């Protein structure tokens, strides 16, 4: 039995394309891996606060969590890290907002990237401490960027997940969603196709990452 953690970050809740794609993927994963368990964390419905100095101090030294606010913040981070540590599979629903990832997702990343917990510095460089996990990332975009230098989202997420040890990453793209209903339908069908290819452990066809 595998444990899957689905993180949604689309601002339109269940109407978000990225959330719909993430849910579609989780269902397809369950179909391929019956008995698996899915946990959903919706960063739009329950946003993680921006990281601040008070909270960051507790990441370095849990004893520094003296105020109730700090204790709550550290406890939230511990919960988010725990969900990630327990998961075999991470599914991210990622819209493109202003050329980047949503700030809600960045706030989540800021709470799970923790020195000595999910990564550590060694004499030879950074070592990610999350091992043996796969990530499937659903990218929803109004325009088309995959495979071009303007696709900083893909580069960032690849670097960031590798930083904490997640290196087996499949990107699935639904692009051109703002280019009319026909283009949108074709893009969503292409994303479904990429999901099935990813589940069969083939690289998504035709889109260089
Ligand atoms: C605030 C905002 C900013 C956006 N910025 C971009 C952008 O920079 N490039 C792009 O291709 N699409 C952009 N879009 C379009 C979204 O990427 C597109 O609507 C996608 O479906 C969003 O995913 P969602 O449906 O999960 O929210 C933007 C949409 C919003 C609401």
């Amino acid at each position: 039995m595998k444990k899957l953690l689905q993180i949604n970050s689309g601002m339109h809740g269940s109407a978000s394309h990225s959330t719909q794609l993430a849910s579609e993927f989780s269902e397809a994963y369950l179909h391929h891996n019956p008995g698996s368990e899915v946990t959903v964390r919706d960063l739009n419905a329950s946003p993680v606060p921006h990281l601040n100095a008070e909270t960051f101090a507790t990441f370095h030294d849990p004893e520094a969590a003296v105020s109730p606010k700090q204790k709550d913040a550290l406890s939230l981070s511990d919960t988010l890290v725990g969900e990630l540590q327990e998961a075999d599979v991470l599914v991210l629903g990622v819209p493109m907002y202003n050329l980047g990832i949503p700030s809600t997702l960045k706030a989540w990343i800021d709470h799970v990237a923790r020195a000595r917990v999910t990564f550590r510095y060694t004499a030879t460089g950074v070592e990610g401490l999350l091992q043996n996990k796969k990530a499937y990332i659903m990218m929803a975009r109004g325009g088309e960027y995959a495979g071009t230098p303007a696709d900083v989202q893909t580069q960032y997420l690849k670097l960031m997940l590798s930083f904490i040890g997640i290196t087996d990453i499949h990107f699935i793209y639904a692009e051109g969603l703002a280019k009319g209903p026909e283009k949108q339908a074709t893009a969503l069908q292409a994303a479904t196709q990429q999901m099935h290819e990813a589940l069969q452990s083939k690289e998504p066809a035709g889109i260089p990452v």
Side-chain angles (χ1 to χ4, degrees):
M1 190 196 81
K2 299 281 187 195
K3 287 191 171 180
L4 185 152
L5 174 63
Q6 177 182 330
I7 306 284
N8 302 331
S9 61
M11 68 162 82
H12 298 108
S14 60
S16 286
H17 286 296
S18 56
T19 297
Q20 287 171 359
L21 291 168
S23 298
E24 182 185 337
F25 180 86
S26 296
E27 272 173 38
Y29 187 90
L30 279 179
H31 184 74
H32 280 253
N33 302 274
S36 297
E37 207 175 86
V38 178
T39 300
V40 179
R41 182 165 281 276
D42 193 309
L43 301 174
N44 182 61
S46 306
V48 173
H50 283 150
L51 183 59
N52 60 27
E54 262 187 305
T55 302
F56 187 63
T58 72
F59 291 178
H60 274 282
D61 174 15
E63 299 289 309
V66 285
S67 72
K69 239 168 117 183
Q70 281 179 311
K71 284 181 182 160
D72 285 352
L74 181 60
S75 158
L76 172 62
S77 170
D78 287 344
T79 300
L80 299 175
V81 168
E83 287 174 355
L84 197 48
Q85 285 169 332
E86 276 190 19
D88 302 292
V89 177
L90 175 66
V91 178
L92 297 182
V94 185
M96 177 179 276
Y97 295 147
N98 300 317
L99 301 177
I101 64 166
S103 55
T104 49
L105 181 58
K106 179 61 165 60
W108 177 82
I109 289 170
D110 288 341
H111 280 72
V112 297
R114 281 178 51 187
R116 295 172 303 280
V117 180
T118 54
F119 72 90
R120 71 176 165 217
Y121 294 108
T122 70
T124 51
V126 174
E127 183 191 1
L129 298 177
L130 298 173
Q131 302 289 328
N132 303 317
K133 300 186 192 299
K134 283 178 188 284
Y136 296 90
I137 308 188
M138 311 299 132
M139 309 288 256
R141 296 158 168 189
E144 295 173 272
Y145 302 85
T148 77
D151 186 0
V152 292
Q153 277 187 314
T154 298
Q155 188 62 12
Y156 169 70
L157 288 170
K158 232 161 109 173
L159 278 173
M160 191 60 239
L161 292 180
S162 304
F163 193 83
I164 55 176
I166 304 174
T167 53
D168 187 349
I169 309 171
H170 291 258
F171 286 92
I172 285 141
Y173 297 90
E175 293 205 302
L177 296 175
K179 294 185 172 176
E182 257 178 52
K183 174 74 185 169
Q184 187 176 105
T186 311
L188 294 173
Q189 273 165 20
T192 299
Q193 176 65 21
Q194 291 167 54
M195 285 181 207
H196 291 293
E197 288 170 357
L199 281 168
Q200 285 157 19
S201 283
K202 286 193 229 152
E203 285 303 313
I207 299 174
V209 177

